[in-house]
């Protein structure tokens, strides 16, 4: 197979002021970083932005995607089926965790502490974020998953069964009318993670399909500001 490029294409919203925290937003299957950024911008009528937080929207590399009969798609990993009842395609998940670790390390090299980095995403992006944080980066500031789920026997659950660490908090949102990623799959993921020691909230949006809403993004923004507060500059 082709080597996964270590540096992902990305669209970046710079902080208005001093950069002291970073947020990585992972798009849904078939989208791009710029696509996700533009979607949020259309909903809010402006970029989602903060005084001190850099927002990075990376784009997944193209790969053959089984639910599309092997057609190329910008997906974080492959799946056998869009269902919570099948095994995970663990090889593709793990190789992407390595690639995304480079992205996290870039921020750390730029002087951002690990506990000042948040990761999350929409749909498949949220699933990817949960794998990345709960299996490999348990010292991140938090995780968010919008219209997302983990498969029933997820490697995330296996990892957390053996875990002793304090885990990043999870902020989850899901529409009750979602007919692609069922609300029950999101709810089950939330309950499983809570039972394994994750502090997790599930925000329910009645009549919302597999999409983002303004109310949801506003709630997400408040949570981000709470998890990554502005740091008061030290006076010398």
């Amino acid at each position: 197979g082709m080597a996964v490029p270590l540096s992902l294409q990305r669209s970046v919203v710079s902080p208005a002021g001093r950069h002291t925290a970073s947020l990585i937003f992972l798009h849904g299957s078939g989208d791009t970083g710029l696509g996700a950024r533009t979607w949020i911008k259309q909903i809010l009528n402006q970029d989602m932005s903060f005084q001190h937080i850099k927002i990075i929207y990376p784009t997944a590399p193209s790969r053959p995607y089984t639910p599309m009969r092997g057609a190329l798609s910008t997906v974080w990993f492959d799946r056998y089926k869009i269902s919570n009842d099948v095994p995970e395609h663990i090889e593709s998940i793990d190789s992407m965790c390595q690639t995304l670790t480079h992205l996290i390390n870039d921020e750390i090299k730029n002087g951002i502490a690990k506990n000042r980095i948040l990761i999350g995403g929409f749909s498949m992006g949220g699933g990817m974020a949960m794998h990345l944080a709960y299996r490999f980066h348990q010292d991140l500031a938090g995780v968010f998953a919008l219209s997302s789920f983990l498969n029933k026997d997820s490697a995330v659950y296996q990892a957390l069964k053996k875990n002793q660490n304090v885990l990043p908090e999870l902020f989850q949102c899901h529409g009750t009318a979602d007919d692609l990623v069922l609300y029950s799959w999101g709810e089950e993921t939330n309950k499983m993670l809570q039972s394994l020691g994750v502090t997790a909230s599930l925000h329910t949006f009645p009549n919302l399909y597999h999409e983002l809403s303004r109310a949801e993004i506003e709630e997400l923004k408040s949570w981000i500001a709470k998890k990554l507060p502005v740091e008061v500059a030290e006076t010398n």
Side-chain angles (χ1 to χ4, degrees), residues 15 17-24 51-56 101-119 139-141 227-229 231:
R18 196 169 70 94
H19 176 206
T20 66
S22 296
L23 183 152
I24 299 167
Q51 191 61 29
H52 60 298
I53 306 168
K54 172 179 167 185
I55 306 182
I56 304 160
T101 294
H102 289 281
L103 194 58
I104 292 170
N105 288 341
D106 280 350
E107 292 311 293
I108 295 167
K109 282 186 201 110
N110 286 332
I112 303 303
K114 192 100 176 265
N115 65 1
R116 298 280 293 165
I117 300 173
L118 269 181
I119 185 149
D139 42 359
L140 288 169
K227 297 311 288 182
L228 299 174
E231 285 183 336

Side-chain angles (χ1 to χ4, degrees), residues 170 188-202:
L170 175 67
E188 196 176 306
T189 299
N190 192 275
K191 285 183 175 143
M192 270 303 288
L193 289 171
Q194 285 201 46
S195 75
L196 293 164
V198 176
T199 301
S201 57
L202 176 57

